[in-house]
């Protein structure tokens, strides 16, 4: 289990950020149901199951309850949801440090057609010999430095 995971939607191919990874069973029929903590508090909404075998066993993902509250509030107030999106998957800090990057955010993937793609950000990839070629490193945005 873990927090702030990224996953790619099997249906749309879109990236979903900051999901909760859980080992709780997510089966057909309980997707959309609550994910509870050990005290019975709702902490998320079950969303997807990653199952390499195709069986109803694997890694489950849930949307955090704060995100759900925000989306529901926007839907009730405006009838639609507006979210800013960069369109880039960034490396976790630990991964970047292992690759020798101690400043900035390493770009791992770019979503085609996204603002990141339009801006020309380059993703990390492997060359013909299988060696990693690091993508762009974002050092700041709107005049502010990033971690």
């Amino acid at each position: 289990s873990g927090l702030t995971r990224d996953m790619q939607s099997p249906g749309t191919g879109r990236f979903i950020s900051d999901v909760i990874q859980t080992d709780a069973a997510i089966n057909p029929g309980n997707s959309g149901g609550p994910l509870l903590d050990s005290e019975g508090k709702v902490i998320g909404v079950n969303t997807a199951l990653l199952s390499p075998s195709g069986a109803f066993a694997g890694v489950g993902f849930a949307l955090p309850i704060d995100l759900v509250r925000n989306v529901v509030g926007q839907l009730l107030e405006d009838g639609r949801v507006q979210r800013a999106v960069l369109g880039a998957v960034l490396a976790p800090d630990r991964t970047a440090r292992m690759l020798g990057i101690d400043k900035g955010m390493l770009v791992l993937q770019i979503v085609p057609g996204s603002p990141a793609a339009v801006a020309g950000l380059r993703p990390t990839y492997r060359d013909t010999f299988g060696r990693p070629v690091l993508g762009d490193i974002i050092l700041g945005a709107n005049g502010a430095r990033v971690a």
Side-chain angles (χ1 to χ4, degrees):
S1 297
L3 303 173
T4 65
R5 303 285 197 228
D6 293 330
M7 66 168 284
Q8 190 170 12
S9 168
T12 65
R14 288 180 151 172
F15 285 92
I16 304 171
S17 297
D18 298 327
V19 295
I20 300 169
Q21 178 183 327
T22 178
D23 56 1
I26 298 179
N27 299 309
N30 68 358
S31 181
L35 177 65
L36 307 174
D37 69 8
S38 59
E39 296 177 1
K41 295 178 185 171
V42 177
I43 60 169
V45 175
N46 295 323
T47 303
L49 175 68
L50 178 63
S51 175
S53 68
F56 300 124
V59 178
F61 295 94
L63 298 175
I65 195 63
D66 291 339
L67 171 66
V68 174
R69 283 186 182 125
N70 180 280
V71 167
V72 169
Q74 288 186 54
L75 287 172
L76 291 173
E77 188 170 317
D78 302 324
R80 64 186 180 126
V81 177
Q82 288 187 301
R83 297 187 67 188
V85 64
L86 176 61
V89 176
L90 305 174
D93 291 340
R94 181 177 180 194
T95 302
R97 282 193 306 271
M98 287 176 19
L99 294 169
I101 298 165
D102 59 354
K103 292 184 176 148
M105 309 287 293
L106 173 64
V107 176
L108 292 179
Q109 297 177 326
I110 300 292
V111 177
S114 69
V118 171
L121 287 178
R122 295 174 300 175
T124 298
Y125 65 94
R126 292 195 179 271
D127 68 13
T128 55
F129 298 103
R131 297 175 299 209
V133 177
L134 300 183
D136 285 334
I137 299 170
I138 300 171
L139 297 174
N142 293 331
R145 293 190 62 80
V146 296

